[in-house]
Amino acid sequence: MSTKFKIVTSLIFLVLFQAPVKAQFFLSYSVGVTEHDVQILSFGDNHYGAMSPSFLNFGMQYKSEKSRWSLSMSSQNTKLTPNLEEIDYFEGTHRVDHTELVMGLEYLRKVHESTTGIIALLGMNYTARTASFTNTIQSEFLEGSWDFEEDVVFDLSIVGAAEYTFGDKLLRMKMGIGILNYRYATQKYWRNEKEFYGTGPSVFFQLRNEIFLQIPVTNRIFIRPEYTFKYHTYREYSVMKALQQHFLIGGVFQL
C-alpha cells in the first residue's frame, strides 16, 4: 500500500504544479461514525455489524473550471458483532475484528452546465483497499478463530456527479458503479490456509453514493457534513457482501 500511495501522490503533485493560476486547492479532514454490515461465507450465513467512530478521513482536491482531481485516504478499526446469537456453542465471546485502509484517486470532468447553475460531471475512480477480518469465538464449548484477509489492489469505477451552488454554499451528489476489479485474498480456517484471487466484472459489484454540503465559515475555511453509502459483493472466489454507511462532518481548507 505504501508504494501505491507514493505513486498516486506523485501524480497528484504533478497535476498541482502544472495547474493554471485559476485552479483551487482544498485539504479536508472529517470525523464521524461508520455503520458496517458484513457477511463472509467462510464465517457462516450470519451477518456482522456495528456502529463505530471514524477518525482518519483525509482528502485533497484540485478544482478547475473544467475538471476535479481528488485524493482521499481513510482508516477504520471495528469490532463487529453477529446479528444472531442462537447457536449454543457460540455462547460467550463472539465477534469479528475488522481493520481497513482505503486510498482513492478520482477524476471528474464537467460535461454539462444548466441555466439553473447545476453542473454535471463524469469521470473515473480508482481505489486500493486492504482489509482483514478475524472471527473469534471463546466459550466453554469452543475456542478458535478464523482469519480472512484481502487486498483489493485495483478497483475501477465509473462516477457521475452533480454540483449545485446556491449563495456561497456548494451541494454535491455523486454516484458510482464498479466496472473492473482485481482482488487477492487469504483465508485461514482452523489449521488450513487457502489463497485465491479474482479479477473481472463478474467477480465484483460495487455501488457508491455520496452527498455533502460545503458551508463557508470564512473565505478559506468550510464546514462539510457528508453522507456516504458503499455496497460491494463478490460473486466468485468466496462470496462476501459488505455495506458501509458513513455519517461524517469535517472541515475544508482552501490553499
Side-chain angles (χ1 to χ4, degrees):
M1 289 298 297
S2 59
T3 302
K4 295 180 180 65
F5 179 75
K6 291 178 182 178
I7 293 174
V8 173
T9 305
S10 299
L11 292 174
I12 289 293
F13 278 105
L14 182 62
V15 172
L16 299 185
F17 285 120
Q18 293 182 350
V21 177
K22 293 183 179 180
Q24 296 177 325
F25 304 96
F26 301 88
L27 295 176
S28 64
Y29 176 74
S30 300
V31 298
V33 293
T34 299
E35 181 181 7
H36 296 260
D37 186 357
V38 177
Q39 181 182 17
I40 305 175
L41 185 61
S42 59
F43 294 171
D45 295 330
N46 208 343
H47 283 75
Y48 303 84
M51 179 80 78
S52 58
S54 181
F55 296 113
L56 182 58
N57 299 280
F58 290 103
M60 180 170 64
Q61 184 188 62
Y62 153 77
K63 178 181 179 181
S64 69
E65 179 64 25
K66 296 291 186 180
S67 62
R68 314 281 188 271
W69 282 92
S70 299
L71 177 67
S72 62
M73 175 178 265
S74 64
S75 177
Q76 189 74 38
N77 294 292
T78 313
K79 291 187 182 297
L80 308 175
T81 57
N83 291 355
L84 298 175
E85 299 246 20
E86 298 178 355
I87 304 175
D88 290 340
Y89 59 78
F90 279 2
E91 292 179 359
T93 301
H94 181 202
R95 69 178 188 275
V96 173
D97 295 317
H98 168 48
T99 62
E100 183 180 61
L101 176 64
V102 182
M103 183 182 67
L105 175 64
E106 182 177 276
Y107 171 72
L108 292 171
R109 186 164 186 84
K110 184 166 68 174
V111 294
H112 179 71
E113 183 172 3
S114 70
T115 55
T116 58
I118 298 176
I119 298 174
L121 305 109
L122 187 65
M124 306 293 292
N125 178 282
Y126 164 78
T127 300
R129 184 176 78 251
T130 180
S132 65
F133 301 83
T134 299
N135 187 358
T136 302
I137 298 173
Q138 292 178 331
S139 71
E140 61 177 308
F141 303 103
L142 177 67
E143 182 173 343
S145 64
W146 295 258
D147 293 333
F148 184 89
E149 298 179 358
E150 66 167 353
D151 290 301
V152 180
V153 296
F154 188 85
D155 167 15
L156 194 64
S157 301
I158 296 177
V159 179
E163 291 182 350
Y164 177 57
T165 303
F166 55 102
D168 50 5
K169 302 176 182 64
L170 171 66
L171 176 67
R172 175 193 274 188
M173 292 177 288
K174 183 174 69 177
M175 180 175 179
I177 185 168
I179 57 173
L180 185 60
N181 164 270
Y182 180 86
R183 169 182 181 247
Y184 181 82
T186 302
Q187 178 179 306
K188 298 177 182 179
Y189 182 77
W190 293 102
R191 295 185 179 180
N192 298 322
E193 182 171 331
K194 178 182 178 183
E195 295 183 350
F196 50 89
Y197 67 91
T199 182
S202 63
V203 177
F204 183 79
F205 172 75
Q206 177 173 263
L207 184 65
R208 300 182 184 186
N209 288 290
E210 176 187 290
I211 180 169
F212 72 76
L213 178 64
Q214 192 162 292
I215 305 169
V217 178
T218 68
N219 290 335
R220 293 185 176 273
I221 299 176
F222 306 84
I223 294 175
R224 188 171 76 180
E226 177 181 337
Y227 168 74
T228 304
F229 169 99
K230 298 179 182 178
Y231 172 78
H232 63 265
T233 180
Y234 297 95
R235 308 295 177 86
E236 302 172 16
Y237 307 104
S238 177
V239 176
M240 175 181 174
K241 300 178 182 179
L243 170 65
Q244 291 181 334
Q245 297 186 81
H246 304 268
F247 304 88
L248 305 173
I249 183 167
V252 180
F253 178 72
Q254 182 178 349
L255 299 178

